[in-house]
């Protein structure tokens, strides 16, 4: 189901809770909402559709990836950039890292660990920030 995108900075600034397999329907709604906004959006976190759970989805060069409970376990190559957000107006400066290693659970709740670089790493950092209540 396509959900309305939340724009309330007070809600978006709250930390999300750990997700479980009972939250799979939320991931589906998040995916549907991302696809419906694909012209303006490459990634989303569950709080962007009003659910404070640690779930993110993003477009990895045409393959949509869903992560439950993602956390960055290492990072390197700090740089500054400007980002926009579907939940916020305009662009803002922020610090990112060129490479991140992420521990997360997949759709089967199997624990995974993977490194990402470049644009995909930037998207993941933005969405994990959402899970942590950090707005750009």
């Amino acid at each position: 189901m396509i959900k309305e995108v939340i724009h309330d900075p007070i809600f978006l600034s709250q930390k999300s809770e750990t997700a479980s397999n009972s939250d799979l329907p939320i991931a589906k709604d998040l995916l549907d909402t991302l696809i419906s906004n694909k012209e303006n959006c490459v990634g989303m976190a569950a709080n962007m559709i009003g659910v404070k759970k640690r779930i993110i989805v993003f477009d990895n060069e045409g393959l949509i990836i869903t992560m439950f409970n993602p956390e960055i376990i290492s990072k390197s190559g700090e740089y500054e950039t400007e980002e926009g957000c579907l939940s916020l107006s305009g662009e803002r400066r922020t610090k990112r890292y060129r490479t991140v290693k992420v521990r997360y659970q997949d759709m089967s709740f199997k624990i995974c660990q993977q490194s990402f670089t470049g644009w995909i790493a930037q998207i993941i950092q933005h969405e994990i920030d959402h899970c942590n209540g950090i707005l750009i």
Side-chain angles (χ1 to χ4, degrees):
M1 175 181 285
I2 298 168
K3 299 287 190 169
E4 182 180 336
V5 176
I6 302 299
H7 300 281
D8 178 4
I10 294 171
F11 180 83
L12 295 169
S13 295
Q14 298 174 39
K15 287 188 176 185
S16 295
E17 301 168 359
T18 301
S20 68
N21 60 356
S22 65
D23 296 316
L24 285 168
I26 297 166
K28 174 70 170 106
D29 291 345
L30 192 57
L31 174 65
D32 290 347
T33 306
L34 174 66
I35 290 169
S36 75
N37 287 282
K38 68 181 177 183
E39 298 300 319
N40 303 311
C41 187
V42 292
M44 295 187 79
N47 66 349
M48 294 174 67
I49 60 168
V51 181
K52 291 188 293 183
K53 291 290 186 165
R54 295 187 64 82
I55 307 168
I56 67 171
V57 296
F58 59 94
D59 185 339
N60 184 2
E61 300 176 353
L63 173 67
I64 304 291
I65 295 178
T66 302
M67 293 181 172
F68 293 87
N69 306 309
E71 61 178 315
I72 296 171
I73 57 174
S74 69
K75 53 194 173 189
S76 64
E78 183 178 328
Y79 67 100
E80 286 203 17
T81 189
E82 286 191 8
E83 292 179 353
C85 181
L86 196 59
S87 289
L88 304 168
S89 61
E91 291 193 350
R92 295 168 175 85
R93 294 206 56 75
T94 189
K95 177 176 66 173
R96 295 291 179 221
Y97 296 88
R98 296 195 193 292
T99 301
V100 293
K101 185 182 284 188
V102 182
R103 182 182 301 126
Y104 63 96
Q105 292 169 289
D106 65 13
M107 293 290 283
S108 301
F109 279 80
K110 177 183 157 208
I111 295 174
C112 304
Q113 191 168 291
Q114 189 173 353
S115 291
F116 299 89
T117 60
W119 175 237
I120 301 304
Q122 184 175 337
I123 295 167
I124 292 168
Q125 291 169 80
H126 181 102
E127 303 314 331
I128 290 176
D129 276 357
H130 269 294
C131 291
N132 294 327
I134 299 168
L135 301 178
I136 56 168

